[in-house]
Amino acid sequence: MGVDSLGYVALNVSKIGEWSVLMEQVFGMEPRPRDGAIDYRLDSYHHRFSLYPSDHDGVAAVGWEVGSTAKLEATVAALRTRQIEVTPGSAELCAERKVKQLYSFICPMIGTRNEIYYGPLTTNTAFTPRRGISGYKTGTLGLGHVVFWVADLAASVKFYEDVMGFNISDYIAWDDNDAVFMHCNPRHHTLALMKEGPGAPAGALMHIMVEAQTADDVGYGYDLVRDLGIPVMIEPGKHSNDHTQSFYLQTPSGFWMEYGFGGREIGPDWQVTNYDAPMLWGHRFVGG
Ligand SMILES: [Fe+2]
């Protein structure tokens, strides 16, 4: 029971032109347009992001990957035991997501549409980035991580532990923030949950993180973001818990993306700790 990695993220976006600039010129991802939407490839998977033109902005679906049908069915059974409505994905939706089988449900804690799937379509042809980057650290670590604000932090953590199969990596509490970091594979965290607050409504996506193969990919990306006039929200720095070196930018949809490098992984001797600051150095809020 439980998921193995973050597989994909689908987004509704009101400014797909600005998103295209971000995804291609900054992140070097490979666009795969279809029926008005755009899928983006960044590794051996057919795609990891899908952007749907919309009159509003937000998460359309978070795709969680499992490695077997048995694990898929066990997780669906665990959801249904909790009276959560789980819907089998149609053949059309599986074809759109490029997976063998999936189920969807509305997360009772975050409110987003979750999809659990197995059997992603992959290719052996090389990823051809739109700028000279080394690529992304994915594989068994998954796409990266997502961070959401929630109303009930303790209950949300328990749901993702008991039903979705996550384990707690560590905690950070600073200023008025309260965050729990959770893993489902060696990536330090695939999901982080934060207590809602002023300007941080429950259910909203705070950011999506993607991890580069080299520090230079991130460094050149930072320069491109500055040159393109894309808002930098947090300056380059290094996190206290996962040791990722990264910066944060604001997407055309309002939520942020973190572009990082060098995150440490969860090992067998991992000890859960509680940090009093999110950064070792840098990571200054812009204007703060
Ligand atoms: Fe992050």
Side-chain angles (χ1 to χ4, degrees):
M1 188 190 75
V3 303
D4 292 318
S5 67
L6 174 65
Y8 57 78
V9 176
L11 300 166
N12 294 314
V13 303
S14 62
K15 298 172 182 169
I16 199 157
E18 291 180 33
W19 264 101
S20 299
V21 170
L22 176 64
M23 298 301 257
E24 294 176 42
Q25 296 187 34
V26 175
F27 289 108
M29 295 180 190
E30 185 183 334
R32 297 187 146 185
R34 58 167 173 88
D35 303 330
I38 307 176
D39 293 330
Y40 283 96
R41 181 184 174 192
L42 58 102
D43 60 6
S44 65
Y45 281 31
H46 180 273
H47 66 272
R48 294 273 197 178
F49 284 95
S50 297
L51 303 186
Y52 294 90
S54 175
D55 60 1
H56 66 281
D57 292 271
V59 174
V62 179
W64 302 106
E65 184 171 321
V66 300
S68 69
T69 52
K71 206 166 181 181
L72 182 66
E73 299 300 339
T75 307
V76 168
L79 288 162
R80 286 178 170 156
T81 298
R82 292 173 181 246
Q83 277 69 56
I84 295 167
E85 187 176 343
V86 184
T87 306
S90 65
E92 290 74 20
L93 181 59
C94 290
E96 187 172 322
R97 299 288 190 239
K98 300 289 188 287
V99 302
K100 292 296 288 182
Q101 185 181 4
L102 72 76
Y103 290 90
S104 66
F105 67 97
I106 303 300
C107 173
M109 296 299 150
I110 300 172
T112 49
R113 176 188 168 96
N114 275 352
E115 295 174 356
I116 306 179
Y117 73 92
Y118 91 100
L121 180 66
T122 63
T123 178
N124 290 324
T125 59
F127 165 54
T128 50
R130 284 297 184 268
R131 71 173 175 95
I133 57 172
S134 308
Y136 289 91
K137 194 171 179 182
T138 55
T140 54
L141 301 179
L143 167 59
H145 67 238
V146 285
V147 181
F148 288 96
W149 286 294
V150 294
D152 189 332
L153 185 57
S156 301
V157 168
K158 187 149 180 51
F159 173 79
Y160 276 89
E161 282 184 306
D162 292 351
V163 182
M164 298 293 279
F166 283 79
N167 289 296
I168 292 173
S169 307
D170 42 42
Y171 306 84
I172 308 179
W174 76 105
D175 300 332
D176 294 325
N177 300 287
D178 199 359
V180 183
F181 297 80
M182 308 184 77
H183 62 273
C184 59
N185 60 51
R187 182 181 291 286
H188 175 275
H189 59 283
T190 289
L191 173 70
L193 299 168
M194 296 182 68
K195 182 84 178 79
E196 66 176 338
L205 174 66
M206 184 202 182
H207 72 265
I208 303 170
M209 180 269 206
V210 290
E211 185 171 5
Q213 295 280 11
T214 70
D216 287 346
D217 287 359
V218 178
Y220 286 122
Y222 177 77
D223 283 347
L224 283 165
V225 164
R226 297 293 299 264
D227 291 345
L228 289 165
I230 294 168
V232 173
M233 307 310 288
I234 299 181
E235 291 288 355
K238 185 172 183 176
H239 277 307
S240 57
N241 59 347
D242 66 2
H243 292 182
T244 295
Q245 296 177 56
S246 63
F247 73 95
Y248 293 68
L249 60 85
Q250 186 176 43
T251 72
S253 293
F255 62 79
W256 301 355
M257 282 187 75
E258 179 183 9
Y259 195 12
F261 162 75
R264 63 173 169 166
E265 296 178 7
I266 302 283
D269 299 325
W270 186 262
Q271 289 187 309
V272 176
T273 51
N274 182 19
Y275 296 90
D276 62 0
M279 76 289 280
L280 292 173
W281 53 264
H283 275 165
R284 307 276 175 105
F285 278 92
V286 173

